[in-house]
Amino acid sequence: MRPLFAFVTFLAAASCLAAGASFTVDATRSAGPVSPKLYGLMTEEINHSYDGGLYAELIQNRAFLDDAKSPAHWSAVAQASSTADIALDPSNPLNDKLPVSLRVSVTQATKDQPAGVANSGYWGIPVHPKTVYHASLFARAEASFTGPLTISIVSEDGGTVYASEKISGVVSEWKKFEVTLKTGNVVPTAQARFEITLDQPGTVWLNVVSLFPPTWNDRPNGLRKDIMQLLVDLNPKFLRFPGGNYVEGNKIEDRFPWQKTLGPIEDRPGHACCWGYRSSDGMGLLEFLEWCEDMQAEPVLAVYAGYSLQGGHLKAGAELAPIVEEALNEIEYVTGDTNTTWGARRAKDGHPAPFQLNCVEIGNEDFFDQSKTYDARYAQISDAIRAQYPRLKLISTIAGAQLNGRKADIVDQHDYSATDEFIKKSRNYGSDFNRQGPEIFVGEWAAHEDAAVRPWDGAAHKLAPTPTMKAAIGDGVFMAALERNADIIKMHCYAPLLVNVNPGARQWRPNLIGYDALTAYGSPSYYAIQMFSRNLGDEILPVTFANTSVQGCATRNRRTGEIIIKLVNPELRPESLPIEINGVTAIASKATIITLAGNPEDTNSTSHPRNVVPVTTTLRDVKPGFTYALPPTSIVVIKLQAR
Ligand code: AHR
């Protein structure tokens, strides 16, 4: 980030006025209302968004199902004169959902030389000072075992113990144990592991070994606080979940198995996630809904629509009927009274109150379906949902689809473009939209820096996981276009939302928010979205921009009269832009300016989380016509009070 003093100096000196450049806001009329749900979030399990991300569980492979051949992420712990051997054991299952447990056989051990097993977490176990962790596990032992188990968080080399407790009473039947681990005044580190050790020879079996730090709103099985704070700060009005591709799965049997994601975590087998790793399903349907509740955002539920990524699909008719039933049951779980089957199940899971659901998306990106069965699948699923839930708005995933004569209320259109492409297409964006509907949901979009490196290309893996200021410029011009068309574009959301930045953790770039085990940060694109979503009127004011590469938009708050102008300067040079506000006789002389500026390659990271962040300043002597000097490569929000 440029230091603030340099930025201020620059404002004083800037004078690159393109001949005839103008940005005019027409405040005499409104171009339509701004949807109150315009800014939201989209989420799925990708890039370790939940496991190793937002879902605060710290133990990787807690149920030993990640790898059928070996206990991935677990290792034996032994000292000079103690020994332990670990193995997957299908002959001692915890229950019928979790068919494999971990056998830990300790042949030599003493109090001074314990032995057992360690979990390396999701790229480390985060150790924070003076923090209370909640550990739980299921254990059983061979009949002769009498000793305690020691549960600890220790340094990677085992030399430093950060927190430790003992549990006793491990017997030959499976039993659940819970213990709290408290750290002292330690220096934060993620170079730590979680250990379970024995101080005498013996054999024990373990399953659902879990460790949680404090969570957002102290929810059990909850969410990571620092990431939640970043999300809440975006002021999202809705959450589109659970995908994306994740709702579909690679194969039909890998679709998001919402029923199997309910209840205690020991009843959740997890499933193969389409992004190359196994999902624990700790982040289940109820957790998604409570996540919405905690952000005061509305759920936008995507239901599986009978098509999966590798082309497997179910023909409309009898073949699709069970999927239709699944979708109806899922909606009942979300919205049903407790006297319905699935509403009662939700109450049993701990949430008697129904959730407010207004929109359901049928499938995801079904334009990829070579079998061309979406029209018939949509028709069958939407008919069933409308018959039971006439109030719900239904979202189709193909623009211009015929849908066998059915009409979607909303169509979901995705757009992943390079910054230069967004700059080009955003100027006249929306001029060809049919204003008669359906409404538009841009359910996935993001700018990447280089048209030659698409988000899904292997080459993208060589780049940082989160975008630079250059991409934020693309995001800015696109968001301005979305706001100018907010009469017909009712909702939009960036994708993907989350990325674990550790090598090997991601499948896509760019992503909005990055994190490792210890630190989370917002990218420049994150701050661009935050500036747009937190500063929004409720009616669109028409704008024209001429002879300038600056693009922008304006909205007004009808109640307060505040006019919010958003401008994006994609140029490497400053732009002095004459701004005219027509139809306003007087304006408060002080305006609030929020600026995100940087060199195109500037970015944020876990080590420099606040390199590019918005800066708020005050502008004086504002009039209905004034010139504003935009810094190079910048996004600027100007908040004016019309009188
Ligand atoms: O956001 C990443 C992926 O892009 C989504 O899962 C999918 O819907 C789209 O193709």
Side-chain angles (χ1 to χ4, degrees):
M1 183 185 63
R2 281 182 201 86
L4 185 58
F5 67 85
F7 169 62
V8 172
T9 317
F10 152 75
L11 282 182
S15 63
C16 192
L17 183 60
S22 70
F23 186 88
T24 308
V25 179
D26 181 0
T28 62
R29 65 189 179 97
S30 154
V34 176
S35 160
K37 292 196 288 198
L38 190 59
Y39 288 87
L41 303 177
M42 182 273 168
T43 178
E44 65 176 313
E45 181 59 282
I46 182 174
N47 306 319
H48 285 271
S49 289
Y50 313 139
D51 288 350
L54 179 64
Y55 177 54
E57 174 65 85
L58 298 178
I59 304 299
Q60 185 158 199
N61 193 19
R62 69 183 174 198
F64 308 107
L65 294 172
D66 281 10
D67 183 336
K69 296 204 181 89
S70 67
H73 311 290
W74 292 91
S75 56
V77 172
Q79 321 295 324
S81 54
S82 62
T83 52
D85 180 53
I86 62 169
L88 296 177
D89 188 351
S91 65
N92 266 295
L94 175 64
N95 57 38
D96 59 348
K97 314 251 176 31
L98 304 181
V100 177
S101 59
L102 185 73
R103 188 182 60 234
V104 183
S105 313
V106 170
T107 38
Q108 286 182 67
T110 62
K111 282 201 171 84
D112 296 334
Q113 300 268 306
V117 63
N119 185 272
S120 51
Y122 291 96
W123 295 272
I125 297 279
V127 183
H128 295 282
K130 297 192 170 167
T131 301
V132 177
Y133 294 78
H134 179 250
S136 63
L137 57 108
F138 286 80
R140 65 170 294 263
E142 61 186 351
S144 57
F145 183 73
T146 56
L149 297 181
T150 304
I151 314 293
S152 321
I153 301 172
V154 303
S155 57
E156 271 174 355
D157 62 3
T160 307
V161 178
Y162 295 111
S164 186
E165 287 293 339
K166 289 196 186 310
I167 58 175
S168 52
V170 182
V171 291
S172 50
E173 277 81 50
W174 283 107
K175 256 173 70 180
K176 184 175 180 182
F177 298 89
E178 293 181 82
V179 68
T180 52
L181 297 173
K182 291 183 199 141
T183 55
N185 202 9
V186 295
V187 176
T189 180
Q191 289 176 340
R193 64 188 197 202
F194 177 78
E195 278 188 3
I196 303 172
T197 53
L198 287 65
D199 56 18
Q200 58 180 256
T203 299
V204 296
W205 288 263
L206 305 171
N207 212 332
V208 198
V209 182
S210 170
L211 179 69
F212 274 81
T215 57
W216 186 263
N217 278 349
D218 291 328
R219 284 195 191 271
N221 200 44
L223 308 181
R224 192 170 140 172
K225 284 174 130 179
D226 54 349
I227 301 178
M228 268 304 274
Q229 189 63 61
L230 285 163
L231 297 175
V232 167
D233 287 349
L234 284 174
N235 192 27
K237 298 297 184 226
F238 67 86
L239 178 71
R240 172 179 178 241
F241 70 87
N245 290 352
Y246 187 56
V247 72
E248 304 166 81
N250 279 331
K251 302 195 174 113
I252 296 170
E253 60 269 29
D254 299 334
R255 65 189 181 278
F256 179 67
W258 66 267
Q259 305 96 319
K260 294 184 185 165
T261 71
L262 305 176
I265 56 173
E266 59 270 24
D267 287 347
R268 303 186 196 188
H271 76 287
C273 158
C274 62
W275 292 105
Y277 55 98
R278 192 175 171 84
S279 168
S280 73
D281 287 340
M283 192 73 189
L285 180 55
L286 185 59
E287 284 76 19
F288 279 108
L289 294 164
E290 290 181 335
W291 174 15
C292 291
E293 200 165 72
D294 285 350
M295 296 192 296
Q296 295 179 13
E298 173 182 319
V300 173
L301 177 71
V303 296
Y304 180 68
Y307 172 80
S308 292
L309 293 162
Q310 288 175 357
H313 61 277
L314 297 159
K315 281 201 208 91
E319 220 174 271
L320 192 67
I323 296 299
V324 176
E325 193 61 25
E326 262 180 33
L328 292 174
N329 291 343
E330 189 172 8
I331 296 169
E332 186 173 286
Y333 184 89
V334 179
T335 64
D337 287 341
T338 50
N339 58 7
T340 62
T341 309
W342 287 100
R345 175 61 207 261
R346 187 195 60 243
K348 182 170 166 245
D349 294 339
H351 202 290
F355 293 89
Q356 180 71 36
L357 181 72
N358 295 313
C359 299
V360 170
E361 179 153 4
I362 299 178
N364 176 61
E365 293 191 338
D366 289 83
F367 45 81
F368 281 122
D369 173 7
Q370 293 303 312
S371 72
K372 305 289 173 218
T373 54
Y374 187 63
D375 289 337
R377 290 186 286 109
Y378 180 93
Q380 187 176 347
I381 298 171
S382 69
D383 284 355
I385 297 177
R386 285 207 199 282
Q388 217 162 309
Y389 301 97
R391 205 188 46 78
L392 286 177
K393 282 194 170 187
L394 300 184
I395 306 172
S396 133
T397 72
I398 307 185
Q402 296 308 304
L403 306 176
N404 284 7
R406 302 336 184 254
K407 227 177 150 238
D409 302 298
I410 306 174
V411 60
D412 180 2
Q413 299 180 179
H414 297 174
D415 199 336
Y416 294 103
S417 294
T419 291
D420 290 346
E421 295 165 332
F422 269 140
I423 288 173
K424 222 176 186 174
K425 72 170 111 168
S426 293
R427 291 190 88 83
N428 294 317
Y429 189 80
S431 50
D432 54 346
F433 287 170
N434 174 5
R435 255 50 206 185
Q436 305 320 310
E439 294 174 345
I440 298 171
F441 173 28
V442 187
E444 293 179 27
W445 65 265
H448 48 276
E449 294 83 349
D450 183 353
V453 185
R454 298 294 183 190
W456 47 89
D457 290 346
H461 289 289
K462 299 204 179 92
L463 305 174
T466 50
T468 59
M469 188 63 208
K470 178 171 182 185
I473 292 294
D475 299 326
V477 291
F478 190 53
M479 280 190 286
L482 297 173
E483 269 193 32
R484 291 196 304 274
N485 290 280
D487 58 319
I488 186 78
I489 296 171
K490 298 295 176 184
M491 304 187 290
H492 70 80
C493 41
Y494 186 102
L497 179 62
L498 301 171
V499 65
N500 185 312
V501 301
N502 280 292
R506 72 170 134 125
Q507 296 78 44
W508 192 278
R509 98 158 291 276
N511 309 285
L512 200 63
I513 293 172
Y515 44 82
D516 57 17
L518 271 188
T519 312
Y521 69 94
S523 61
S525 300
Y526 166 89
Y527 288 107
I529 294 174
Q530 191 192 74
M531 286 162 66
F532 271 66
S533 76
R534 284 168 42 159
N535 299 287
L536 183 66
D538 53 14
E539 65 178 355
I540 308 164
L541 297 182
V543 295
T544 44
F545 29 96
N547 301 318
T548 174
S549 41
V550 172
Q551 297 189 31
C553 60
T555 58
R556 173 165 53 198
N557 182 320
R558 272 173 294 190
R559 192 177 54 80
T560 63
E562 184 180 56
I563 293 176
I564 300 156
I565 299 174
K566 292 165 182 167
L567 300 168
V568 184
N569 178 16
E571 299 294 342
L572 293 171
R573 55 169 197 271
E575 278 279 304
S576 273
L577 187 68
I579 298 171
E580 200 67 43
I581 303 161
N582 293 335
V584 165
T585 44
I587 260 178
S589 66
K590 276 198 222 164
T592 301
I593 308 284
I594 308 166
T595 307
L596 186 72
N599 297 314
E601 65 281 8
D602 285 352
T603 195
N604 296 334
S605 62
T606 49
S607 53
H608 295 93
R610 297 187 58 80
N611 194 34
V612 185
V613 292
V615 175
T616 301
T617 51
T618 302
L619 182 69
R620 290 168 203 283
D621 300 325
V622 184
K623 299 186 188 74
F626 65 102
T627 295
Y628 191 75
L630 292 150
T633 334
S634 65
I635 301 175
V636 176
V637 175
I638 305 177
K639 298 172 81 177
L640 305 158
Q641 189 58 55
R643 294 198 191 281

